[in-house]
Amino acid sequence: MPEPIRQQAKELWCKTFGDSEEFVERFLNLYFDNRHFFCSENNGELQAMLFILDYSLRINSAEYKGAYLYAFCSVPQYRGSGLASGLLQQTERILSSSGYDYLFLIAASEGLIDYYERLSFRSCRSHKMTAYKKELSESIKTKNLCFERSHSIDIAAYRRLAETRDNSVMHSEGDLSLYQQGGYDIYYMSEEEEVCAMAVTLKKDDKVVVLDTLGKDASCADCLLGYVYTQNNQCDLLQPSRLLQTQSEDFRSPYMIKSLQGTRNPLPERLYFNLLLDK
């Protein structure tokens, strides 16, 4: 992809969404290519853009190939011209012919929910955050467990543990590598020198948000959360529990989904997403 377009994409992203240049640069290093980046441009001038991130969604042993729509926007002077919606429709055709089953996004504002509804996205019910149950901290008294906190993610261990849970997004190595430089704390729990649970956390003010938790079983995951809770001086610990259920037309949520035409895998009514890119 041309370097001038890359620079314009970076500037547009920062102005539109307010993310730091550091985060955007890391993202572009991973995903600024012909497979993930789509744009409308004229004579080297960027008009609209979007990124898609691959997701493999496993539900009851069935696999769904999806794309998370990211940083979808247009240059201010082209808003309302139809360029952005035209770019999205073109991208959908490409994804559909490449075997994708659905598109998923999180609308940034109430007005954008209206916009995406006009593009045939539908809202999902979302239970975004649940408070950690403090009594679970007692479970860390289990013997023969080792705990570690790191800023580096063991990608092989993450993917091995993710394979054990159903209704789960399988992240790509590119997605996971964003953890490596993003200021996240990654907690590990090991038994007999093998990682049996992981938690990825991000501190926000006086709270710790658990972006993702994995364990070889539920008790392992709960045990590790107990450790995270005590290591952070029993501060508020929030877990994103995104169990999404598709709703009727009168329900409005920023969590939105769209089945792509021609898919052979109609989406089920209940979905679960663990999205590491929620900042």
Side-chain angles (χ1 to χ4, degrees):
M1 299 292 293
E3 180 61 29
I5 293 293
R6 187 187 195 280
Q7 183 60 33
Q8 291 175 63
K10 180 178 177 180
E11 293 173 1
L12 176 59
W13 183 325
C14 292
K15 288 178 182 177
T16 303
F17 302 105
D19 291 319
S20 70
E21 287 193 20
E22 180 186 8
F23 174 81
V24 176
E25 186 64 30
R26 289 202 315 270
F27 188 99
L28 292 176
N29 287 340
L30 287 168
Y31 295 116
F32 187 77
D33 56 41
N34 289 324
R35 194 163 71 85
H36 298 96
F37 177 71
F38 298 83
C39 73
S40 170
E41 57 94 10
N42 184 28
N43 293 325
E45 179 191 4
L46 182 66
Q47 299 170 321
M49 70 175 191
L50 62 86
F51 290 84
I52 63 105
L53 276 65
D54 294 334
Y55 278 82
S56 173
L57 177 62
R58 298 173 58 210
I59 301 178
N60 299 327
S61 300
E63 294 249 356
Y64 300 85
K65 186 177 181 180
Y68 179 25
L69 187 63
Y70 210 74
F72 177 39
C73 60
S74 58
V75 175
Q77 61 262 39
Y78 296 112
R79 289 172 190 167
S81 67
L83 277 171
S85 58
L87 173 62
L88 180 58
Q89 290 167 4
Q90 177 186 359
T91 303
E92 288 178 7
R93 288 193 293 270
I94 293 171
L95 295 177
S96 181
S97 64
S98 300
Y100 285 79
D101 298 308
Y102 68 92
L103 268 177
F104 175 72
L105 59 87
I106 305 175
S109 67
E110 184 77 14
L112 284 174
I113 294 176
D114 293 333
Y115 175 74
Y116 288 120
E117 283 178 343
R118 292 195 294 271
L119 296 174
S120 302
F121 283 82
R122 51 182 173 156
S123 287
C124 302
R125 185 187 301 279
S126 169
H127 306 286
K128 186 175 182 182
M129 287 291 182
T130 58
Y132 171 72
K133 295 180 180 179
K134 297 180 180 180
E135 58 269 21
L136 290 177
S137 62
E138 294 299 311
S139 63
I140 69 168
K141 295 178 180 179
T142 307
K143 296 179 180 179
N144 302 321
L145 293 173
C146 295
F147 297 91
E148 178 187 359
R149 181 171 68 177
S150 173
H151 293 297
S152 177
I153 187 163
D154 184 333
I155 292 177
Y158 186 103
R159 294 185 67 82
R160 173 173 56 79
L161 291 172
E163 289 281 356
T164 67
R165 65 181 179 186
D166 207 352
N167 295 11
S168 176
V169 168
M170 300 296 292
H171 294 295
S172 69
E173 288 197 15
D175 289 349
L176 293 174
S177 70
L178 286 174
Y179 279 140
Q180 305 285 30
Q181 308 170 56
Y184 304 102
D185 283 324
I186 301 164
Y187 292 85
Y188 296 91
M189 184 175 80
S190 300
E191 188 173 21
E192 297 181 353
E193 299 187 355
E194 182 176 275
V195 176
C196 57
M198 296 174 63
V200 182
T201 71
L202 186 64
K203 214 155 198 177
K204 292 188 176 181
D205 301 322
D206 59 343
K207 296 179 173 60
V208 172
V209 179
V210 183
L211 296 177
D212 202 1
T213 313
L214 304 95
K216 69 178 185 180
D217 54 42
S219 63
C220 281
D222 287 344
C223 183
L224 180 57
L225 284 176
Y227 177 79
V228 173
Y229 176 68
T230 58
Q231 290 298 297
N232 287 279
N233 299 317
Q234 301 186 3
C235 70
D236 289 340
L237 196 65
L238 298 177
Q239 295 173 254
S241 176
R242 296 182 179 86
L243 179 62
L244 305 182
Q245 184 171 1
T246 53
Q247 297 297 302
S248 59
E249 292 181 0
D250 59 350
F251 182 85
R252 296 169 59 77
S253 162
Y255 288 76
M256 307 188 77
I257 201 160
K258 179 179 184 178
S259 292
L260 293 173
Q261 290 186 353
T263 179
R264 289 182 248 172
N265 280 327
L267 284 167
E269 288 299 304
R270 294 174 70 82
L271 311 170
Y272 174 78
F273 288 89
N274 44 301
L275 295 176
L276 75 153
L277 290 177
D278 282 3
K279 300 180 295 301

